[in-house]
Amino acid sequence: MSSVLIIAEHAAGTLNPATAKCVACASDLGAESIDVVVLADNASTVANAAAELAGVTKVLTVERAENASPLAAVLAPQIAEIASGYDYVFGPSTTFGKDITPRVAALLGVNQLSDIMAVVDARTFKRPIYAGNAITTVSVKPGYKVVGTVRAASYKAVGSQSAAPVETVGTSVELPDHTTFVDVKTGASDRPDLQTAAKVVSGGRALGSEDAFSIVFGLADKLGAAVGASRAAVDAGYVPNELQVGQTGKIIAPELYMAFGISGAIQHLTGIKDAGTIVAINRDEDAPIFEIADIGLVGDLFTVIPELEALLD
Amino acid sequence: MEKIIVGLKRVVDYNVRIRVKSDGSGVETDGVKMSINPFDEIALEEALRIKERGEANEVIVVSIGSSDSQQQLRTGLAMGADRAVLIETNSDLDPLNAARAMLAVVEKEGADIVMLGKQAIDNDNNQTGQMLAALWGRPQATFASEVSIDGDKATVTREVDAGLETIQIALPGVITVDLRLNEPRYVKLPDIMKAKKKPLDTISVDSLGVSADDAFEITHFAPPEQRNKGIMVSDVGELVNAMKDKGLV
Ligand SMILES: Cc1cc2nc3c(=O)[nH]c(=O)nc-3n(C[C@H](O)[C@H](O)[C@H](O)COP(=O)(O)OP(=O)(O)OC[C@H]3O[C@@H](n4cnc5c(N)ncnc54)[C@H](O)[C@@H]3O)c2cc1C
Ligand SMILES: Nc1ncnc2c1ncn2[C@@H]1O[C@H](COP(=O)(O)O)[C@@H](O)[C@H]1O
């Protein structure tokens, strides 16, 4: 029977929701056990949260001072050592998982399946290539460990269960000292998180300036939505990089996605293909975004948004 | 610092609309425009800027692929790289073996920085840099949006989901670049002429003892599920009603 190891992602003592999506993907494998490994300086709250994810068999914690920051070069050798006894190793397809998981795979001497979007059977998977313009079915030969990242937008988080056991494990690998964490700057806000929000309101180049972009934030607050942006809006400095949606930004699957002044470039659409309802507002009736929008309105966003807010009051 | 190695992969140009062959055997690539992977152009631009600041002496571009990849290497030389190495193979090498082949050249050359794209836009793997760093036993700084060099250290700001993370790595090491790091320069005609005289060496992938992995087999290619065009509404009132019908507001 087979066993799965999932690399937990966490920050500031909170388990990232992408971990619950990795468990969902792993649950489709028909494996005998699904373990989650938490590497941290202090793992207890995160480990307890992971233990309550439905389907988890047990949680392993590796507590070391060096694990305080998510440095791939430091974490990967520890994960690779623990992973030797497993048939599958999954990480989330977030920047954390994309950084670490290939390093683990290389230490284990195998390639990685990036962005798993479906499990066909225990050794067959679907994953997107060419910015999601082709979906491949990949089969992995028997005898190889399967290391992969899970495309979070393809999965719903698993529910909860009564807590699975948590075990502390030690690792004997020597850790490198060639990489040092300096800092992380986040535009922390009280708004819903872009990656998990049920509603997202996005703005594009059409907003024209950082100041003007506040109209998008205003509507988002009214709807209780997260804010997203096109690459053009981020490049122009209207909003910070963590708001970018698309092939090289975040791949999201909200119930409602509203795009204001976004043309609908293929790289942007890659990020919203799994959204429930896409609403597009664009001045140009020929904008490509209308080809995939569920509800489209040709109009000037600077008049549409105030009218919309008035009608929602 | 002596040398920077930059990986340039030949890929279908990002403006090309990708079509899956109707028999599901692959993606249509016949007669399609091919270019340097856009992330790799940014990697090269950064390497050139580091050299132009006097912080490195030589920039070497490396491509793993068929002899057609010489075109991309020549473009890299025209942008300003000093020389090129083609690691010739007729298979689309998987990331682990691309990393192994790259490592052989990196060790032979004694590179201080290996600058790669964060991902190749054909297979969207986002693995090769991390794997190279692992096999090399050296640091990795992925998804870079800012790089500064200070002697044998590099300080790299990385685009992560939470925002911007900064780390410091001791060189030699691997840096993979994100789109906002810089804007690559345009190649001018005289540079293209000059590039023809720059050295381009070819080595076979076999001579490096590397061959393609056969653990993964792509059994089928399919077009993505299409989203259908929905309705167009004519004013904001209709928009709100349509959203209410779906229970969205
Ligand atoms: C390798 C690569 C990766 C990329 N990754 C991403 C990615 O992750 N995410 C991403 O978004 N892009 C990405 N891009 C960029 C992408 O190709 C587009 O350039 C970008 O999405 C365009 O942003 P935009 O729609 O805001 O701007 P534009 O294409 O300029 O569109 C602006 C739109 O606003 C409309 N408009 C103007 N004024 C108004 C008004 N007053 N009211 C209403 N509508 C108005 C216009 O009609 C137009 O359709 C990537 C590109 C490359 C090459
Ligand atoms: N065949 C190749 N030739 C040159 N560089 C490559 C090759 N494959 C991958 N790379 C480098 O590794 C990066 C990441 O590729 P990938 O892991 O395939 O997404 C690319 O942006 C290139 O810089």
Side-chain angles (χ1 to χ4, degrees), chain B residues 104-115:
Chain B
V105 173
V106 165
E107 287 186 327
K108 178 164 157 268
E109 296 283 352
D112 300 287
I113 299 181
V114 182
M115 204 52 92

Side-chain angles (χ1 to χ4, degrees), chain A residues 50-68:
Chain A
E52 288 178 2
L53 296 177
V56 169
T57 312
K58 66 173 185 286
V59 176
L60 310 175
T61 61
V62 188
E63 291 188 324
R64 299 177 71 142
E66 296 93 328
N67 293 348

Side-chain angles (χ1 to χ4, degrees), chain B residues 38-246:
Chain B
F39 292 95
D40 301 355
E41 238 181 309
I42 294 169
L44 175 55
E45 175 65 35
E46 195 65 17
L48 295 172
R49 289 185 190 184
I50 292 170
K51 184 185 159 190
E52 285 158 4
R53 289 199 301 261
E55 293 164 354
N57 293 325
E58 193 180 24
V59 174
I60 306 166
V61 283
V62 177
S63 189
I64 308 165
S66 71
S67 57
D68 292 338
S69 299
Q70 287 180 21
Q71 286 168 28
Q72 281 64 43
L73 289 172
R74 287 286 169 207
T75 306
L77 292 171
M79 277 178 71
D82 298 291
R83 57 192 174 90
V85 178
L86 171 65
I87 304 176
E88 202 170 354
T89 165
N90 285 322
S91 55
D92 183 9
L93 222 54
D94 51 279
L96 182 61
N97 287 296
R100 285 175 177 150
M102 198 71 84
L103 180 61
V105 173
V106 165
E107 287 186 327
K108 178 164 157 268
E109 296 283 352
D112 300 287
I113 299 181
V114 182
M115 204 52 92
L116 302 181
K118 83 163 175 182
Q119 75 196 71
I121 61 162
D122 49 4
N123 296 321
D124 286 332
N125 275 317
N126 195 333
Q127 301 180 32
T128 307
Q130 297 87 319
M131 290 187 156
L132 170 61
L135 300 177
W136 196 13
R138 295 303 310 165
Q140 68 188 49
T142 53
F143 326 146
S145 66
E146 215 182 308
V147 174
S148 67
I149 310 293
D150 181 13
D152 58 357
K153 286 197 168 58
T155 302
V156 179
T157 299
R158 313 175 50 232
E159 289 204 9
V160 296
D161 291 338
L164 294 172
E165 180 192 279
T166 303
I167 64 172
Q168 196 176 66
I169 60 171
L171 300 174
V174 177
I175 298 175
T176 79
V177 309
D178 216 320
L179 293 174
R180 269 178 285 274
L181 179 60
N182 61 48
E183 257 187 66
R185 65 196 63 189
Y186 287 103
V187 173
K188 297 187 217 74
L189 197 58
D191 299 328
I192 297 175
M193 304 311 289
K194 256 192 271 169
K196 291 196 172 128
K197 297 200 192 76
K198 291 185 181 174
L200 191 163
D201 296 328
T202 300
I203 49 182
S204 83
V205 76
D206 304 330
S207 73
L208 302 174
V210 172
S211 57
D213 183 15
D214 61 356
F216 291 174
E217 188 194 352
I218 300 184
T219 56
H220 188 68
F221 293 75
E225 263 177 52
Q226 291 300 326
R227 288 187 76 105
N228 293 326
K229 190 175 163 72
I231 56 163
M232 293 299 288
V233 294
S234 53
D235 59 37
V236 179
E238 277 185 36
L239 172 63
V240 171
N241 288 337
M243 288 170 68
K244 279 190 176 144
D245 286 346
K246 289 178 178 267

Side-chain angles (χ1 to χ4, degrees), chain B residues 11-33:
Chain B
V11 298
V12 174
D13 187 87
Y14 79 93
N15 282 311
V16 171
R17 249 203 128 76
I18 296 297
R19 283 209 322 278
V20 175
K21 291 183 185 164
S22 52
D23 63 358
S25 66
V27 163
E28 203 63 73
T29 51
D30 284 351
V32 159
K33 184 179 179 209

Side-chain angles (χ1 to χ4, degrees), chain A residues 39-298:
Chain A
L39 295 98
D41 52 348
N42 185 336
S44 61
T45 44
V46 173
N48 291 339
E52 288 178 2
L53 296 177
V56 169
T57 312
K58 66 173 185 286
V59 176
L60 310 175
T61 61
V62 188
E63 291 188 324
R64 299 177 71 142
E66 296 93 328
N67 293 348
S69 310
L71 296 172
V74 172
L75 302 187
Q78 302 175 66
I79 297 166
E81 185 183 281
I82 294 166
S84 65
Y86 287 85
D87 305 293
Y88 299 85
V89 183
F90 284 175
S93 183
T94 54
T95 52
F96 165 84
K98 288 175 179 172
D99 185 39
I100 280 182
T101 321
R103 191 160 180 132
V104 174
L107 294 174
L108 295 169
V110 295
N111 270 296
Q112 170 186 285
L113 277 166
S114 299
D115 307 313
I116 297 169
M117 56 192 292
V119 173
V120 179
D121 63 45
R123 302 207 71 83
T124 313
F125 303 86
K126 289 193 181 186
R127 63 169 298 259
I129 60 171
Y130 286 103
N133 288 303
I135 309 300
T136 58
T137 304
V138 186
S139 73
V140 186
K141 279 211 174 133
Y144 287 86
K145 213 183 276 297
V146 180
V147 178
T149 56
V150 174
R151 184 177 180 275
S154 298
Y155 289 91
K156 289 209 158 40
V158 293
S160 58
Q161 64 177 13
S162 58
V166 177
E167 277 173 27
T168 306
V169 293
T171 55
S172 58
V173 284
E174 207 180 309
L175 300 184
D177 58 4
H178 50 48
T179 308
T180 325
F181 178 83
V182 179
D183 64 15
V184 60
K185 293 193 176 66
T186 65
S189 81
D190 301 334
R191 295 194 173 83
D193 174 52
L194 177 56
Q195 259 159 331
T196 49
K199 297 176 186 173
V200 174
V201 179
S202 257
R205 193 196 310 271
L207 272 302
S209 72
E210 188 181 349
D211 282 348
F213 208 97
S214 62
I215 192 172
V216 174
F217 284 99
L219 177 62
D221 289 347
K222 188 146 241 161
L223 292 169
V227 173
S230 70
R231 176 180 164 201
V234 176
D235 284 357
Y238 308 161
V239 288
N241 66 286
E242 63 265 27
L243 298 192
Q244 182 174 318
V245 172
Q247 181 189 10
T248 46
K250 288 180 175 141
I251 311 271
I252 56 173
E255 285 159 33
L256 171 65
Y257 185 78
M258 300 187 81
F260 290 91
I262 292 178
S263 60
I266 194 94
Q267 295 88 359
H268 187 81
L269 302 185
T270 303
I272 56 170
K273 276 193 180 134
D274 298 294
T277 300
I278 297 175
V279 175
I281 286 84
N282 196 299
R283 213 165 51 178
D284 173 9
E285 60 178 335
D286 295 324
I289 190 127
F290 288 131
E291 294 306 310
I292 61 128
D294 299 288
I295 309 173
L297 173 62
V298 178

